[in-house]
């Protein structure tokens, strides 16, 4: 089996990554025969996985400003990682390696379920946040203080939910060790390699998810120039009401400029949320597909 696998690669790469692997690759000295069902990291699918894991972790480690400016990029990195995971889980060799990792597979299934649940909640919160931002923007434009106060309170609740999701994801973003992979037992090199990559992928996804949720939460409260406190909300509402009494012209005086600045920030947040909707849907689907593929492998070997 090992010699046949080294001789040819029968599993096609997905179209999004075929261009990067279309050039012939020179044989590597590290590409040696092993007494396991998977070759070492020189296999293209494994190389792609390591590349995507590094990309996801690098994005998650950026500063708050960079994260806020590239949330769509972060989602694309996570989606690409799980697309590559799907390629790995389609390999018969990988499926065979997972057949004896029952306890580890159970933990992986639980990890991917929690991640899928978190991103499902994220989607719901983003939809609610989009409605709150649209409501707040309409209130600012119409100088409706009561309507704005209600919208800002709802927006703050959405921000708090995002912060909670970020904390939950952050708790599970732990790098796996050989001991955690094997659960204290012994396993083949192939089992360690495949389950290790899956656990690395889950940990990287958790880190990126925590960074993503936190970045969107921070953006959702930035329109108030301070945290979502009662004082901040009251000041913003007061500003809108005061500006309405002074003049019906939307851009009159310093206060009019301040209100216009708030409207501009709300518009930017609204545009960002629209980008997030499509990306978050793809990530949620890819997480579900990863878990389904892993569950199918697990179920097949149980029965």
């Amino acid at each position: 089996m090992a010699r046949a696998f080294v001789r040819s690669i029968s599993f096609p790469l997905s179209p999004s990554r075929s261009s990067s692997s279309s050039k012939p690759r020179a044989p590597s000295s590290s590409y040696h025969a092993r007494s396991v069902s998977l070759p070492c990291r020189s296999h293209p699918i494994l190389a792609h996985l390591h590349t995507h894991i590094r990309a996801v972790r690098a994005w998650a480690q950026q500063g708050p400003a960079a994260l806020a400016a590239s949330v769509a990029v972060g989602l694309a990195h996570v989606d690409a990682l799980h697309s590559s995971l799907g390629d790995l889980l389609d390999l018969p060799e990988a499926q065979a390696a997972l057949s004896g990792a029952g306890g580890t597979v159970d933990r992986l299934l639980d990890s991917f379920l929690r991640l899928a649940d978190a991103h499902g909640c994220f989607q719901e919160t983003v939809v609610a946040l989009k409605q709150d931002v649209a409501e707040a923007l309409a209130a600012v434009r119409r100088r409706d203080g009561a309507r704005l106060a209600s919208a800002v309170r709802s927006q703050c609740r959405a921000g708090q939910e995002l912060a909670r999701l970020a904390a939950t994801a952050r708790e599970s973003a732990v790098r796996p060790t050989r001991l955690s992979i094997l659960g204290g037992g012994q396993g083949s090199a192939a089992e360690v390699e495949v389950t290790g990559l899956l656990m690395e992928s889950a940990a990287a996804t958790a880190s990126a998810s925590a960074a993503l949720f936190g970045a969107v939460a921070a953006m959702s409260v930035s329109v108030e120039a301070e945290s979502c406190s009662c004082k901040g909300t009251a000041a913003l509402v007061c500003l809108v009401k005061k500006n309405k009494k002074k003049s019906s012209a939307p851009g009159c005086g310093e206060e009019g400029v301040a209100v216009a600045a708030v409207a501009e920030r709300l518009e930017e947040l609204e545009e960002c949320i629209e980008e997030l909707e499509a990306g978050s849907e793809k990530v949620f689907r890819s997480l579900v597909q990863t878990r389904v593929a892993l569950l199918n492998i697990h179920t097949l070997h149980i029965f």
Side-chain angles (χ1 to χ4, degrees):
M1 174 63 77
R3 291 180 181 176
F5 198 73
V6 170
R7 185 174 62 252
S8 63
I9 300 172
S10 59
F11 187 79
L13 297 177
S14 65
S16 62
R17 297 183 296 280
S18 59
S19 59
S20 63
S21 61
S22 58
K23 296 181 180 179
R25 300 183 63 170
S28 170
S29 60
S30 63
Y31 201 110
H32 55 275
R34 293 169 58 181
S35 59
V36 293
S37 56
L38 278 176
C40 52
R41 292 187 179 184
S42 55
H43 189 283
I45 291 178
L46 302 186
H48 279 302
L49 261 174
H50 285 288
T51 298
H52 290 309
I53 289 171
R54 286 194 297 269
V56 168
R57 287 196 179 279
W59 178 83
Q61 290 169 1
Q62 296 181 106
L67 286 172
S70 61
V71 287
V73 174
L75 285 168
H77 281 316
V78 174
D79 181 55
L81 169 60
H82 284 269
S83 178
S84 190
L85 271 181
D87 290 351
L88 175 67
L89 294 175
D90 276 339
L91 286 173
E93 293 81 5
Q95 295 173 11
L98 290 169
S99 62
T104 303
V105 173
D106 286 336
R107 290 193 293 274
L108 285 166
L109 286 169
D110 182 63
S111 294
F112 287 123
L113 177 61
R114 284 186 280 110
L115 286 168
D117 284 344
H119 278 268
C121 292
F122 176 67
Q123 280 186 290
E124 295 175 0
T125 305
V126 165
V127 171
L129 182 60
K130 182 180 179 180
Q131 295 173 344
D132 295 335
V133 171
E135 186 73 9
L137 186 56
V140 168
R141 287 171 175 168
R142 297 177 184 179
R143 304 300 189 268
D144 188 336
R147 185 178 179 183
L148 176 60
S150 176
V152 170
R153 283 194 297 269
S154 296
Q155 188 177 325
C156 287
R157 286 194 294 270
Q160 291 167 359
E161 174 62 17
L162 287 168
R164 185 192 66 78
L165 288 174
T168 301
R170 198 174 295 113
E171 290 174 359
S172 59
V174 179
R175 281 183 178 272
T177 63
R178 181 182 173 86
L179 186 62
S180 66
I181 291 170
L182 298 178
Q186 298 296 323
S188 69
E191 181 182 330
V192 172
E193 186 172 41
V194 175
T195 54
L197 275 171
L198 285 165
M199 293 184 75
E200 283 278 1
S201 300
T205 301
S207 295
S209 299
L212 171 69
F213 302 157
V216 179
M219 285 190 293
S220 71
V221 301
S222 65
V223 293
E224 294 186 71
E226 56 183 282
S227 63
C228 287
S229 61
C230 295
K231 181 179 179 182
T233 302
L236 187 58
V237 173
C238 181
L239 182 62
V240 171
K241 287 181 176 179
K242 191 174 181 181
N243 189 68
K244 181 179 180 180
K245 291 179 180 179
K246 290 184 66 175
S247 174
S248 60
C252 179
E254 293 182 1
E255 292 171 351
V257 172
V259 172
V262 171
E264 183 178 358
R265 290 198 295 274
L266 285 167
E267 288 171 355
E268 291 173 353
L269 181 57
E270 193 173 41
E271 291 176 3
C272 179
I273 291 173
E274 289 175 357
E275 291 181 0
L276 279 175
E277 282 187 298
S280 62
E281 173 67 19
K282 290 181 67 177
V283 168
F284 175 73
R285 288 180 181 273
S286 66
L287 281 165
V288 171
Q289 289 169 358
T290 295
R291 189 176 188 277
V292 168
L294 192 59
L295 183 60
N296 287 340
I297 294 170
H298 192 43
T299 304
L300 178 65
H301 288 288
I302 289 176
F303 297 101

